Amino acid sequence: MRENNMKQKDTTIGCLCAVGCEILYGMSYIFTKQATDEASALYLLGWRFFLAFAVMSILLVFGVIKADFRGKSWKTLILISVFSPVIYFTGETFGIRNTTALESGVFLACIPVVSLIASAVILNKKPSKIQVTGISVTLAGVLLTVLSASTSSSFSAAGYAFLFIAVISYALYCVFVDKAFGYTGAEITYGMAFAGTAVFGIMALAEAAFYDDVLGLITLPFRNEGFLAAVLYQAVGCSVAAFFMSNVAISRIGVNRTSSFIGVSTVVSIISGALILGESFTMFQIAGALIIIAGVYTANSREIFNSIRN
């Protein structure tokens, strides 16, 4: 009985964290759309992870979070941090820059499917039929939503390659978080924030130095309110809170079920874009959103029914 209650608690916490993570990711669209038009993507990434690492360090110093890396395998944490944020955000950033919103959306919509395959091959955790069905329905909803938004194509081989790398790296990140025995969600998130700061901070400084704009990079958040709002949300909302919830979700409910929630961010980005930015909201997008929600529910319906019975 006690074991069932613990399992139910893990399921509830994991699902809530997965939903919360995707809501934060979906809302980030509002904060970054204008910022990336006004400043370099590397500037945004550099500041994002620097502030995320600073916030995590402050929380650690004041005892809000705890982290103890002694006696733990650094290899796993390094692999997690390399796959996400380093490789994933490099692939996503340059992939989106060199392709259309349609193409990047289609590629990134494949993450749940690739995550299922990676989990089955590396972790030997084969998804259930209902999980496969639910994720397939979610993928169909995302594709319908994305395809209804645009008909243009870039045919950029470089862009496709970067997006492919992003998809593979995110799936591997999920797998290695699932294997990160002994690490807490806060410890994994702190490691990811440090890696992002080290890599993207250096890349941003290198780009600024190349264009003789180091002072501009340093002062950017203090003279551009839109950029400051975007970087604060990305740092605290996404690189701290969302990363933490993602890591907790994977540790509680596994890669397969966590991946089934990814489509939620698409729904949130569409609704927030329509309500806050005044963007179009077509019947196809409404249908796609409903299909995504149906897919997420299907992938988790067995656990939902079990929770009701218990």
Side-chain angles (χ1 to χ4, degrees):
M1 184 69 177
R2 184 178 180 181
E3 185 178 346
N4 288 336
N5 289 337
M6 289 296 294
K7 185 176 181 181
Q8 184 178 342
K9 182 180 178 181
D10 281 345
T11 298
T12 302
I13 293 174
C15 289
L16 288 175
C17 284
V19 171
C21 169
E22 297 307 324
I23 289 175
L24 288 172
Y25 282 148
M27 288 292 293
S28 68
Y29 170 77
I30 297 173
F31 294 90
T32 57
K33 183 174 176 61
Q34 184 175 4
T36 52
D37 290 337
E38 298 177 357
S40 163
L42 287 178
Y43 283 16
L44 179 61
L45 287 172
W47 267 108
R48 165 184 177 166
F49 285 101
F50 170 75
L51 288 179
F53 181 69
V55 169
M56 289 289 290
S57 298
I58 292 171
L59 294 176
L60 188 63
V61 168
F62 285 95
V64 178
I65 61 172
K66 295 181 179 180
D68 185 0
F69 299 97
R70 292 174 297 181
K72 298 179 181 179
S73 172
W74 284 93
K75 180 180 179 181
T76 301
L77 186 58
I78 290 172
L79 284 172
I80 291 171
S81 301
V82 166
F83 286 123
S84 181
V86 176
I87 297 178
Y88 173 74
F89 279 102
T90 300
E92 181 192 64
T93 300
F94 290 99
I96 291 175
R97 175 181 289 183
N98 289 282
T99 60
T100 64
L102 164 66
E103 293 167 322
S104 59
V106 170
F107 267 90
L108 298 178
C110 296
I111 286 176
V113 177
V114 179
S115 296
L116 282 183
I117 296 171
S119 177
V121 173
I122 299 175
L123 300 177
N124 198 28
K125 293 184 178 181
K126 295 182 179 179
S128 65
K129 291 181 180 180
I130 199 167
Q131 286 177 331
V132 173
T133 301
I135 288 179
S136 298
V137 172
T138 300
L139 176 62
V142 173
L143 292 178
L144 173 61
T145 303
V146 173
L147 291 170
S148 67
S150 174
T151 57
S152 60
S153 298
S154 66
F155 299 108
S156 169
Y160 296 161
F162 276 116
L163 289 172
F164 178 75
I165 290 170
V167 171
I168 297 297
S169 65
Y170 194 89
L172 292 174
Y173 147 73
C174 292
V175 166
F176 282 102
V177 168
D178 204 351
K179 293 179 63 177
F181 302 112
Y183 279 105
T184 66
E187 289 166 349
I188 294 173
T189 306
Y190 192 67
M192 293 169 67
F194 174 78
T197 301
V199 174
F200 294 119
I202 291 173
M203 291 175 70
L205 284 171
E207 181 178 293
F210 181 80
Y211 290 106
D212 195 22
D213 190 38
V214 175
L215 182 61
L217 168 63
I218 295 173
T219 61
L220 183 56
F222 307 101
R223 55 186 173 81
N224 188 319
E225 293 182 358
F227 184 86
L228 177 61
V231 79
L232 283 174
Y233 182 86
Q234 290 279 22
V236 180
C238 295
S239 293
V240 176
F243 274 2
F244 175 76
M245 286 190 283
S246 174
N247 294 331
V248 171
I250 293 171
S251 67
R252 297 293 181 106
I253 60 177
V255 175
N256 295 342
R257 292 188 59 199
T258 301
S259 298
S260 70
F261 288 91
I262 289 179
V264 172
S265 63
T266 303
V267 176
V268 173
S269 66
I270 292 170
I271 294 174
S272 61
L275 296 179
I276 299 175
L277 299 180
E279 296 184 345
S280 63
F281 194 39
T282 67
M283 291 302 297
F284 285 110
Q285 289 173 315
I286 294 173
L290 293 175
I291 292 172
I292 290 169
I293 294 171
V296 172
Y297 177 82
T298 300
N300 296 278
S301 58
R302 179 175 298 172
E303 282 73 16
I304 292 173
F305 289 138
N306 287 340
S307 296
I308 293 173
R309 282 201 298 266
N310 293 332

